[in-house]
Amino acid sequence: MSAAPDPARHAWDQAQRTPDLALKRRWLARAHRLAPKNGEVALALATVELQAGEAGRGAALFRAVAERDGVADAWFGLALAAWMEGDQAQARRALAAGLQRGVPNAATVQLADAVAGRQGWCGLTTDGRVVMPAGEAWLDGQRVRAGALPEGWRQATRLEVTGAHGPALGSPISVRMFAGLEGFVEAHEGGLRGWAWHRADPGALPTLEVAGEHGVRRIVLEAVQDGVPDLAPLARPRRLSLDAAACAALGTTLAVRGPDGRHVLGSPLDPGLERRAAADGDPAWRPVWADVEGIAPAAPRKAAGVDVVVPVHGGGDVTLACIEAALAGLPRWARLVVVDDASPDAELGVALDRLAGARRIRLVRLTENRGFPGAVNAGLAQAALAQAALTQAGGRDVVLLNSDTLVPPGWLARLRAAAYADAATGSATPLSNDATIVSYPDPDGGPAPDLEGTVALDAMAQQANAGQVAVLPVGVGFCLYLRRDCLDDVGAFREDLFAQGYGEENDWCLRARHRGWRHVAALDVFVAHVGGASFGGAKAHLARRNGAILERLHPGYDALVQDHLEADPLAPARHRIDALRWAALRPARGGAVLFVTHGRGGGVDQALAVCMRQAERDGLRPLVLRPGPEEAPAGSCRLEQPGQSFPNLVFAMPEAVPSLVALLRGDRVRRVELHHTADHHAALDALPRLLRAEAVSVMHDAARFCGRVALLGPGARYCGEPEVEGCEACVADLGPLHAAGRDMPGLLARSAAELGAATRVVAPSLDAASRLRRHFPRVVAEVSPWEEEAWPVPRAPRVDGLCTVVTPGAIGTEKGYDVLLACARDARARGLALHFAVVGFTHDDIRLLEAGPVSITGRFAREEGPGLVAVAGGTLALIPSVVPETWCFALSLVWSAGLRAAVFDIGAQAERVRRASGGWVLPLGLGASGVNDALLRVARGG
């Protein structure tokens, strides 16, 4: 298993050690829940599910990995699972997908023979052998014999196999999948290091060719390189290492190629460049870091035209969609230059030829893949040719446009206007969904909208930020407008350092910055960007390598970007667009309910979901106000709407109260429900009055009168709810769990004011209402349960063997972690027939797992709960909370699964068990041996 969180690693290791299938399955299920994106864990669990006869569960796991990671073994596993379930159509589809991605082994051959039937099947190996029981094979339209393909097969595109009944399963096969390697190379101490592997056959030994001007060296990689992240599940990358002397003997600039002749990522490179540059005092490697803005030309002359340069290397439909969007409405003063960077996609090449033949694009075709910097330079060269003819007319600017973007109408004119808004501007970049420092709406990036969504977002950007720009430290290369005068001053991109790409546009922008140019974001333009798909699993390695080169070239670059992110000059522009999107979702009729709550999740969010569903049934729009993100100023809050993303609607309190109220007034807020105000600034208490809305205070826990929220005092016990002096001592000793808890008299005064101003005060249980009234005698809360209490009467347990005790939820100290730990230890010490199954997680899983007979599933989505409780096979449930709950959703969960529950005699948990006859009430403070004896007694029918 590759890198994973410690609890997941622990579960994985336990699964590897046990020969017991049931235990292995349980441990792997836990590891998968803790590390759901780890494909290796998922594939191991899927295999165990098949062994246990659970083909349906195995199929779901195989399908998830197959669709996410494209691993051949996952497709083959899905084919087997579908075949076991009798779904022959699904088995054939999955088998075909696997054969198109991986070399068939003996087990796969046996499965293929069973699944394919008369249709037949075919496969390919990494050394060029066609595997097919029968039929005819065609390589790029030329018939070939079964067995070894002819010399030069690695440069082919497509292998097709037909039988008596049409195409064989697996046909057609992309030859490149089997002919090439996935790999990475970088300079290291004057030599080379890196790795490579055959994705289609991880067990095969890759061969690399390292070539320089003085010679060629062929290397077979054997040793497995451990700890290579970001690769597909079951990857076996092999280590490449070549010292400085060996590299020097080959030459200065080295090309590292796979057996198909294509460069490995990071190649070509000059291993000794940095060392020689430092020795020679090369100023390109030791630039002066200084702010020299203002020395660029003061009176620019606008270029006569613009070349939109689109480097292309595959991408198929995505690339063609980009080109069509760019061509739509292209101004007469602009042209589209497509640079085909030796794309392996033959169908795309035909489509580009067609566009060029119709004179819709100018096509530049490279004979060898040069990577993004090289393709850009080829496009710049085309612009330079046009420049020679247009010198007197002002020349041509250049826009670099990634082939996985979508541009809206009018984008180029607005981007051009931003580039010429200031004499010293060298480049302009639009906003985008995935574009690092110019990302919108989420600054961390997000999925790309379709063309319709792109047009809508662009229209809002225009409305919100017409003609506005913000200064950037560097531009972003997905869509980068380069002014001709700046290009002439700075020069081309550096191909000698950045290989296939990442960082080359940053380097260019920094070189421009050193010469007095600045870079801006065009805040009224939005361009969609798919992003991140260019280089497969090695992408992160190339980005890391090039990032280190960039920092060495331009010391202080990382700090420059970090300073920009902290200042975040784009925040107001993003906020304005979010406000427009927010307003666009307002219904024509009705009003809204504003729910004020915390951001801690748990039962509060579960209850909030109930309230929001009721608001929607009443025809009202549910809105949520939570505390702002960690990076926002203290006391900030953020508006949300379920199912939508508005990460920029953040309001700094108290100064932003007027703007928050102004936005919400447009929503016609009828009611403000104060579910949890402890993490909010006191200025928000005035929202109901300012919005002229009904105020409802809702109790979820003791935060209104407990600085530690849950009434958990010294010794991890229920505090007994002392007078304020006792609360102050408790907070002083243990610390507050919310900001308002630092000042207990202030907290009580604020809560009394909030509750006194409320039209209604709501508590979900009689116990909660009575505790609230104890601290605020004038408050009479109405009791409104979060759920209907019409649960079916749980079955009475009766087992003679092992008793499985289910405990659901997030188990911290107040939820009874110490009780559970002590019970597990007592069960082990006395050899009791008890097993504790936590459906959820605890604050220290490993300690609990090592204490006794315990299993822990890990976190789960709410809708998964009943199924997980059922799978646990519980005899009864234990809800070990040692403080009063206000409702206890854990009880509802186990009751819905048909289990009775044991609880301590405190809070809503005891109230509900008594009322529903749904279990047993144990004395608060009962020791572990007493709890275990009681559990065993009732499990035996006592």
Side-chain angles (χ1 to χ4, degrees):
M1 174 186 171
S2 56
D6 286 345
R9 166 64 68 179
H10 175 268
W12 172 265
D13 290 343
Q14 295 296 321
Q16 305 313 302
R17 291 175 187 146
T18 179
D20 184 275
L21 183 63
L23 280 177
K24 185 183 291 290
R25 185 181 177 199
R26 181 185 296 165
W27 282 115
L28 286 173
R30 170 173 165 75
H32 176 58
R33 192 163 293 281
L34 292 169
K37 294 184 179 179
N38 189 299
E40 191 172 349
V41 172
L43 290 177
L45 177 58
T47 302
V48 168
E49 294 287 9
L50 292 192
Q51 293 171 348
E54 295 288 348
R57 290 180 183 166
L61 290 162
F62 280 127
R63 182 180 293 106
V65 177
E67 293 176 350
R68 183 184 66 225
D69 300 313
V71 180
D73 281 353
W75 287 110
F76 291 143
L78 177 58
L80 177 59
W83 182 72
M84 290 172 63
E85 288 193 297
D87 188 345
Q88 296 299 317
Q90 173 63 28
R92 283 192 289 271
R93 287 193 297 269
L95 177 64
L99 291 168
Q100 290 168 344
R101 291 166 173 81
V103 175
N105 57 25
T108 306
V109 168
Q110 188 176 0
L111 175 65
D113 288 339
V115 169
R118 294 194 305 166
Q119 185 177 354
W121 61 274
C122 66
L124 184 61
T125 67
T126 55
D127 58 359
R129 288 180 296 108
V130 182
V131 184
M132 58 180 192
E136 296 179 341
W138 304 80
L139 186 66
D140 284 351
Q142 299 295 316
R143 185 173 178 179
V144 294
R145 291 183 298 178
L149 289 175
E151 187 176 349
W153 69 274
R154 296 181 189 276
Q155 278 63 54
T157 301
R158 183 183 179 98
L159 174 69
E160 297 173 275
V161 175
T162 58
H165 299 278
L169 276 183
S171 177
I173 292 174
S174 172
V175 172
R176 187 176 183 185
M177 176 67 71
F178 297 82
L181 298 170
E182 182 175 332
F184 168 73
V185 64
E186 63 182 336
H188 177 65
E189 297 180 351
L192 297 179
R193 69 178 180 185
W195 48 265
W197 68 300
H198 284 286
R199 186 183 178 96
D201 189 4
L205 300 182
T207 301
L208 292 177
E209 183 181 274
V210 183
E213 56 268 31
H214 302 316
V216 178
R217 182 166 175 177
R218 191 169 176 272
I219 305 173
V220 179
L221 308 185
E222 297 183 2
V224 175
Q225 174 70 59
D226 294 327
V228 180
D230 304 306
L231 297 185
L234 307 183
R236 296 194 68 192
R238 310 286 177 156
R239 185 183 306 119
L240 167 66
S241 180
L242 207 59
D243 63 27
C247 289
L250 292 174
T252 302
T253 301
L254 303 183
V256 183
R257 305 175 189 269
D260 58 351
R262 294 185 175 93
H263 289 279
V264 169
L265 280 188
S267 167
L269 74 169
D270 182 345
L273 176 61
E274 184 174 356
R275 182 178 295 177
R276 292 195 309 276
D280 296 342
D282 184 348
W285 283 82
R286 297 187 299 113
V288 176
W289 186 253
D291 189 354
V292 290
E293 291 185 10
I295 65 171
R301 183 180 181 186
K302 183 175 286 190
V306 178
D307 276 357
V308 179
V309 176
V310 183
V312 168
H313 185 72
D317 292 341
V318 172
T319 295
L320 293 175
C322 166
I323 292 172
E324 288 297 335
L327 285 170
L330 194 69
R332 287 182 298 175
W333 40 264
R335 64 179 185 172
L336 194 65
V337 178
V338 177
V339 182
D340 183 354
D341 190 18
S343 173
D345 188 337
E347 293 181 4
L348 176 61
V350 171
L352 294 179
D353 286 336
R354 189 180 304 118
L355 288 166
R359 297 185 179 275
R360 301 187 67 199
I361 66 172
R362 181 177 292 270
L363 181 61
V364 178
R365 183 155 278 146
L366 304 181
T367 58
E368 182 181 40
N369 177 239
R370 288 171 56 184
F372 189 81
V376 165
N377 284 345
L380 295 178
Q382 277 292 306
L385 290 175
Q387 172 80 0
L390 292 170
T391 301
Q392 300 305 314
R396 301 187 73 84
D397 294 335
V398 173
V399 178
L400 306 180
L401 185 66
N402 274 21
S403 62
D404 57 354
T405 57
L406 288 174
V407 294
W411 69 284
L412 187 55
R414 280 175 280 129
L415 195 58
R416 191 185 199 197
Y420 283 95
D422 181 89
T425 298
S427 79
T429 308
L431 301 176
S432 181
N433 58 286
D434 185 7
T436 60
I437 59 175
V438 291
S439 292
Y440 172 84
D442 191 335
D444 293 328
D450 59 14
L451 186 57
E452 181 181 359
T454 300
V455 172
L457 284 174
D458 180 67
M460 290 184 182
Q462 290 183 69
Q463 184 180 347
N465 304 312
Q468 296 191 42
V469 300
V471 176
L472 300 174
V474 293
V476 186
F478 79 101
C479 179
L480 186 62
Y481 192 110
L482 307 177
R483 261 179 35 187
R484 169 50 53 188
D485 45 2
C486 185
L487 265 171
D488 290 342
D489 188 25
V490 178
F493 282 23
R494 292 196 67 168
E495 298 180 53
D496 57 336
L497 292 175
F498 297 101
Q500 287 80 7
Y502 289 115
E504 67 284 344
E505 80 273 22
N506 309 72
D507 167 68
W508 186 93
C509 289
L510 289 168
R511 285 187 280 133
R513 180 185 172 91
H514 297 327
R515 301 181 68 83
W517 299 94
R518 72 172 191 167
H519 311 286
V520 300
L523 301 176
D524 60 353
V525 187
F526 180 90
V527 171
H529 181 213
V530 174
S534 303
F535 302 132
K539 163 195 167 183
H541 301 268
L542 186 64
R544 173 189 55 76
R545 187 202 81 162
N546 288 2
I549 291 173
L550 195 62
E551 180 65 24
R552 291 198 296 272
L553 272 171
H554 306 279
Y557 166 68
D558 289 341
L560 179 71
V561 173
Q562 190 58 44
D563 289 347
H564 170 84
L565 293 174
E566 290 177 5
D568 198 7
L570 275 69
R574 294 196 306 267
H575 183 102
R576 288 190 292 268
I577 302 174
D578 264 8
L580 287 176
R581 288 200 299 119
W582 178 274
L585 291 175
R586 287 172 180 151
R589 298 180 180 179
V593 180
L594 179 65
F595 299 93
V596 181
T597 186
H598 61 37
R600 306 184 186 190
V604 176
D605 272 10
Q606 201 165 342
L608 199 64
V610 175
C611 297
M612 288 192 290
R613 285 194 295 270
Q614 183 59 53
E616 289 176 331
R617 285 194 291 268
D618 294 339
L620 299 173
R621 180 188 183 192
L623 313 176
V624 182
L625 190 67
R626 298 189 192 272
E630 290 184 6
E631 62 272 16
S636 296
C637 58
R638 178 167 63 190
L639 269 177
E640 299 177 358
Q641 179 177 341
Q644 301 290 331
S645 175
F646 296 95
N648 306 290
L649 290 184
V650 177
F651 300 83
M653 295 288 115
E655 56 269 22
V657 167
S659 59
L660 172 62
V661 170
L663 181 61
L664 287 172
R665 277 181 178 156
D667 293 293
R668 304 182 299 280
V669 175
R670 305 279 186 84
R671 185 169 72 249
V672 177
E673 292 192 8
L674 303 167
H675 286 255
H676 222 289
T677 60
D679 292 334
H680 285 286
H681 194 282
L684 291 181
D685 294 350
L687 274 181
R689 175 177 56 82
L690 295 171
L691 293 170
R692 299 185 181 88
E694 177 189 6
V696 179
S697 287
V698 184
M699 183 182 180
H700 290 278
D701 52 34
R704 285 180 174 86
F705 52 87
C706 175
R708 292 184 50 74
V709 178
L711 301 174
L712 188 71
R717 295 186 179 91
Y718 168 55
C719 67
E721 301 178 55
E723 297 300 322
V724 66
E725 294 80 9
C727 294
E728 288 180 311
C730 178
V731 169
D733 290 341
L734 302 177
L737 292 183
H738 59 92
R742 294 187 178 91
D743 173 16
M744 284 304 302
L747 171 63
L748 294 173
R750 177 184 174 185
S751 298
E754 175 205 314
L755 294 166
T759 310
R760 296 163 52 218
V761 177
V762 177
S765 63
L766 286 169
D767 184 89
S770 66
R771 290 179 194 279
L772 193 64
R773 190 166 189 180
R774 173 180 174 181
H775 294 275
F776 307 99
R778 296 183 179 180
V779 174
V780 178
E782 63 180 79
V783 177
S784 179
W786 294 130
E787 301 162 292
E788 294 292 336
E789 287 283 42
W791 300 100
V793 177
R795 65 179 185 272
R798 179 75 191 193
V799 296
D800 297 322
L802 181 68
C803 171
T804 298
V805 181
V806 173
T807 296
I811 312 302
T813 304
E814 72 279 6
K815 298 289 186 180
Y817 178 87
D818 294 338
V819 173
L820 205 55
L821 181 67
C823 287
R825 286 173 173 166
D826 176 69
R828 171 171 286 176
R830 293 198 284 154
L832 302 178
L834 285 171
H835 177 83
F836 296 91
V838 177
V839 176
F841 64 100
T842 75
H843 67 226
D844 192 344
D845 283 359
I846 294 177
R847 183 184 180 202
L848 183 58
L849 287 165
E850 293 176 346
V854 176
S855 61
I856 304 176
T857 65
R859 296 176 186 266
F860 60 89
R862 191 175 305 152
E863 61 274 11
E864 296 179 285
L868 288 172
V869 172
V871 169
T875 308
L876 51 86
L878 172 65
I879 310 295
S881 297
V882 295
V883 295
E885 303 266 13
T886 58
W887 178 247
C888 193
F889 282 103
L891 261 179
S892 307
L893 174 57
V894 297
W895 283 348
S896 70
L899 299 182
R900 294 190 180 190
V903 300
F904 288 119
D905 192 2
I906 190 171
Q909 59 266 51
E911 174 189 326
R912 294 184 66 199
V913 166
R914 286 192 173 101
R915 187 168 61 245
S917 299
W920 310 271
V921 177
L922 307 177
L924 183 64
L926 183 64
S929 60
V931 172
N932 283 347
D933 288 344
L935 295 175
L936 283 172
R937 190 158 54 246
V938 298
R940 307 288 188 249

